[in-house]
Amino acid sequence: MQIYNTLTRRKETFTPLDAGRVRMYVCGITVYDYCHIGHARVMVAFDMITRYLRWRGFEVDYVRNITDIDDKILKRAEENGEPIAALTERMIDAMHEDEGRLGVLRPDREPRATAHVDDIVAMVQRLIDKGYAYPAANGDVYYRVRRFEGYGKLSNRDLDDMCSGARIEVEVAKEDPLDFVLWKAAKPGEESWPSPWGAGRPGWHIECSAMSTCCLGDTFDIHGGGPDLVFPHHENEIAQSEAATGQAYVNTWMHAGAVRVDHEKMSKSLGNFFTIREVLEVHAPEVVRYLLLASHYRSPINYAPDALGEARRSLERFYNALQSVTPVEGDVDARHRERFVAAMDDDFNTAEALAVLFDLARELNRAKQEAPERAPALAYELISLGGVLGLFEQAPADFLQAGAGQLPMTEEEIESRIEARAQAKKAKDFATADGIRDELAALGIVLKDSREGTTWVVEGG
């Protein structure tokens, strides 16, 4: 199995520290607002990775943290006039609801920053004792960036270039403009915890260093996150963790690609910012998941109506192939599974894996016509391999006819109109047949003709 390592900037053979076991940490959400479609990309990508590793026989310990204390959280709670704990619990519940609808399995552990303050304080003290950090006159504690020899190795940045390109700030408490905060002194009235340096709260970067090592050890196999975290967050994690423990922090760094909206960076200021729940009000969850898997996890994704439409049509092809077949485990050509494994072993290449599944769906369609006895086993294989990606977990009719309950016709009435159309076509009354098709289309019911007959789907799903 080959995985692209952001640290070395190349694909490497993946060999876990402990044979058969993978320890993986992914940076989670700062819970002050609803999750957006960029969060969904990371959630789905590492859900897919976890599912595949387990399917390949690895025991996976998947840890994804929750940042439940942060400047943004304090500000939002004040704006809302609600306690911090009430805000964070509400947003955590919403996050779990959103990811559940997208078919994202819960991680094995979800450590919260507020539950690890003692561990964070201990790590900060260790860094001070080793000379990598210092308490400042303003009550904050800072990390000495220049003290860590390997700083910049993940993001491939040079310290002098970073300093010359940095925005100049008046910060008399820092020894060096590049130093970053490990512990923030509390302002009057703010949520705080006791520490040797006074009441305060953790800096964002130190949270993940403390939680990951507490859960997975000083060195672990995979650390993942979004593309915006490479610098400074993950760079700072390396500096903190390796200075504190004296060990290599992570063997393989993985980063999902960005989500762009109509080929532009997603931004509230541009008015193209979408929460997961806003998206799922319009589009079926599996359609959104498929869109997020159709591209390689490291590639940028363009979120746009035409892309979602193509994702919907792709899923319809799979579910139409599975329709009217009862899956039964049996003998099938092993080459489909071998090609699927080869694609996924090549840095989780879901785009190529889906191409294999399309080939399998085409073979299933042929078998339904030419060798019906082979169809159940092919359908079983298609569902099994699709399930590795978290796809095809619905009954075909449930997907294809989702939204039928909101139509002005019952399913029996729709089927009756389809039968009337079939009789009209048989009698060569094509005007009547076309009229029935147009009548149903006006109601959002799309007919799909094939050699097996006519099926229907609800437009847009």
Side-chain angles (χ1 to χ4, degrees), residues 117-118 120-126 128-129 135-136 139-141 183 193-200:
V117 173
D118 289 347
I120 293 166
V121 168
M123 182 172 273
V124 173
Q125 186 62 62
R126 200 175 311 134
I128 292 173
D129 293 342
D140 293 347
V141 179
W183 183 262
W193 288 261
S195 83
W197 323 287

Side-chain angles (χ1 to χ4, degrees), residues 134-376:
Y134 57 95
N138 63 356
D140 293 347
V141 179
Y142 292 98
Y143 185 92
R144 289 188 174 100
V145 167
R146 293 186 187 275
R147 177 77 167 75
F148 184 71
E149 186 175 345
Y151 194 84
K153 61 186 177 181
L154 180 68
S155 56
N156 198 27
R157 299 187 182 209
D158 179 81
L159 276 175
D160 292 330
D161 290 341
M162 280 188 267
C163 192
S164 63
R167 181 165 58 92
I168 303 300
E169 295 181 353
V170 178
E171 180 54 87
V172 295
K174 286 186 180 183
E175 294 177 355
D176 188 297
L178 293 179
D179 295 348
F180 60 86
V181 69
L182 300 173
W183 183 262
K184 293 185 175 184
K187 297 175 183 175
E190 282 187 344
E191 184 94 0
S192 65
W193 288 261
S195 83
W197 323 287
R201 64 181 186 278
W204 177 37
H205 310 301
I206 196 69
E207 292 177 5
C208 284
S209 285
M211 286 187 281
S212 61
T213 54
C214 283
C215 292
L216 298 175
D218 292 349
T219 305
F220 52 94
D221 299 296
I222 297 173
H223 194 315
D228 56 325
L229 299 183
V230 176
F231 184 87
H233 186 54
H234 289 163
E235 194 72 71
N236 290 350
E237 278 191 64
I238 292 173
Q240 296 162 159
S241 301
E242 295 190 356
T245 68
Q247 306 293 321
Y249 180 37
V250 175
N251 282 354
T252 303
W253 285 88
M254 302 179 68
H255 293 91
V259 174
R260 302 180 72 81
V261 178
D262 288 327
H263 301 287
E264 288 190 300
K265 183 179 179 180
M266 189 170 66
S267 167
K268 288 184 177 180
S269 63
L270 293 175
N272 63 357
F273 182 91
F274 299 101
T275 66
I276 295 173
R277 51 193 48 212
E278 286 172 337
V279 171
L280 296 184
E281 286 177 3
V282 182
H283 302 284
E286 191 171 3
V287 171
V288 178
R289 183 180 178 96
Y290 186 94
L291 174 66
L292 298 174
L293 290 171
S295 300
H296 191 279
Y297 78 90
R298 287 191 285 115
S299 300
I301 284 180
N302 186 48
Y303 176 85
D306 58 343
L308 285 158
E310 180 58 35
R312 171 80 196 184
R313 288 187 290 274
S314 294
L315 280 171
E316 286 176 359
R317 288 170 62 188
F318 285 117
Y319 277 113
N320 277 319
L322 291 166
Q323 199 168 35
S324 306
V325 182
T326 301
V328 178
E329 188 172 8
D331 292 332
V332 295
D333 190 335
R335 285 177 294 181
H336 294 299
R337 182 165 293 224
E338 290 167 358
R339 289 173 56 213
F340 180 87
V341 170
M344 293 297 288
D345 275 0
D346 182 15
D347 194 29
F348 309 100
N349 191 340
T350 52
E352 183 59 32
L354 286 169
V356 174
L357 298 188
F358 274 117
D359 288 343
L360 184 53
R362 281 190 284 271
E363 185 173 341
L364 171 58
N365 282 327
R366 286 194 299 271
K368 286 162 72 174
Q369 290 295 317
E370 301 168 6
E373 71 281 359
R374 295 180 56 239

